[in-house]
């Protein structure tokens, strides 16, 4: 039986020891309903952004080993993530800050890119995300669980924001904000609602919210 790469277990364990620079852990992904591992805060941040992307339907961390020879040496590399998209295409992702790429890392990324191209996959090496966008998406990730999707509040919010308007005023118009705000943030997380300038300004009471393209009340 053959498993799809997005369903595979990590090929190596996630460990953390006192004094290490990186912190490993597990993140519950709304995309898969399962925990996905990360080996640094930067990987965790990128994982949150992938989880919020509606075009992503599958995520696996450390999905496989890639082996090659570097002169007389045997080398191997486990990419950070394998991502499946809604159209069936796949992207392998390595996460490394620009200033931390050494020659051996650059070689590993190039070998991975070539191998992915031969397999018909995309490859991306990504670094630190834009700070304001990350802060907004991390806030919305607190409401990523489906339990936040109160159906009555959701229907009212989609009706209210069919006409773009301020976030808090719209939530109050839709009903009791203790019910509407979690649903509103969940809809923003799922991108059924869209907020203006998420990469420029932090979410706030006056942030303009509207229906996303193709969403209907």
């Amino acid at each position: 039986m053959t498993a799809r790469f997005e369903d595979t277990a990590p090929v190596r364990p996630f460990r953390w020891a006192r004094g290490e620079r990186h912190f490993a852990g597990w993140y519950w992904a709304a995309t898969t309903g399962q925990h996905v591992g990360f080996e640094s805060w930067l990987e965790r941040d990128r994982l949150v952004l992938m989880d919020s992307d509606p075009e992503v339907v599958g995520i696996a961390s450390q999905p496989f080993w890639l082996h090659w020879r570097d002169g007389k040496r045997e080398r191997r590399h486990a990419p950070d993530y394998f991502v499946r998209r809604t159209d069936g295409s796949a992207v392998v992702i390595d996460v490394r800050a620009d200033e931390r790429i050494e020659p051996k890392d650059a070689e590993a990324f190039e070998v991975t890119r070539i191998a992915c191209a031969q397999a018909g996959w995309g490859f991306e090496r990504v670094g630190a995300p834009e700070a304001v966008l990350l802060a907004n998406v991390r806030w919305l990730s607190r409401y990523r669980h489906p339990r936040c999707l109160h159906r009555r509040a959701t229907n009212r919010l989609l009706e209210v924001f069919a006409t773009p308007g301020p976030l808090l005023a719209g939530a109050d118009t839709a009903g009791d904000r203790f019910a509407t705000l979690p649903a509103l943030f969940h809809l923003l997380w799922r991108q059924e609602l869209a907020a203006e300038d998420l990469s420029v300004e932090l979410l706030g009471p006056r942030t303009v919210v509207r229906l996303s393209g193709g969403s209907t009340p």
Side-chain angles (χ1 to χ4, degrees):
M1 182 176 180
T2 302
R4 292 164 67 89
F5 276 105
E6 62 268 34
D7 298 326
T8 60
V11 295
R12 65 184 183 189
F14 297 95
R15 296 192 178 99
W16 178 83
R18 186 181 298 276
E20 287 190 353
R21 294 176 58 189
H22 301 298
F23 188 86
W26 295 90
Y27 166 86
W28 184 83
T31 297
T32 63
Q34 298 178 343
H35 286 88
V36 181
F38 58 87
E39 293 186 302
S40 68
W41 291 131
L42 181 55
E43 286 187 21
R44 188 278 316 274
D45 291 343
R46 282 294 177 179
L47 181 54
V48 173
L49 292 173
M50 288 187 285
D51 192 28
S52 71
D53 185 346
E55 296 300 314
V56 171
V57 296
I59 310 171
S61 54
Q62 309 287 334
F64 56 83
W65 285 112
L66 180 64
H67 296 263
W68 75 98
R69 293 188 65 87
D70 178 10
K72 296 182 179 180
R73 296 181 302 166
E74 293 279 353
R75 291 195 58 188
R76 68 176 185 174
H77 172 60
D80 294 317
Y81 296 108
F82 181 94
V83 171
R84 184 75 65 184
R85 299 193 178 277
T86 54
D87 62 2
S89 63
V91 182
V92 172
I93 296 176
D94 268 312
V95 182
R96 186 68 59 89
D98 295 350
E99 66 275 12
R100 293 192 60 247
I101 299 178
E102 299 179 4
K104 63 181 180 64
D105 302 318
E107 178 186 343
F109 298 152
E110 178 61 13
V111 169
T112 305
R113 183 192 66 77
I114 293 171
C116 288
Q118 293 173 344
W121 301 337
F123 173 75
E124 297 177 9
R125 195 284 306 172
V126 296
E130 199 282 323
V132 175
L133 175 63
L134 175 62
N136 283 324
V137 175
R138 285 184 62 183
W139 170 264
L140 295 176
S141 73
R142 301 178 183 185
Y143 301 90
R144 66 188 183 276
H145 198 282
R147 63 173 171 260
C148 296
L149 197 62
H150 185 280
R151 179 51 55 189
R152 181 178 298 177
T154 295
N155 292 338
R156 284 290 295 137
L157 287 164
L158 293 175
E159 292 173 359
V160 169
F161 288 112
T163 301
L167 183 151
L168 190 58
D172 287 340
T173 300
D176 187 327
R177 68 175 61 171
F178 288 103
T180 60
L181 280 176
L184 171 55
F185 292 139
H186 185 79
L187 290 170
L188 287 169
W189 165 263
R190 289 174 48 169
Q191 298 187 33
E192 293 185 34
L193 291 177
E196 292 187 356
D197 300 326
L198 277 184
S199 62
V200 178
E201 297 181 356
L202 294 176
L203 279 169
R206 290 183 294 276
T207 298
V208 175
V209 176
R210 58 175 173 77
L211 289 180
S212 296
S215 292
T216 56

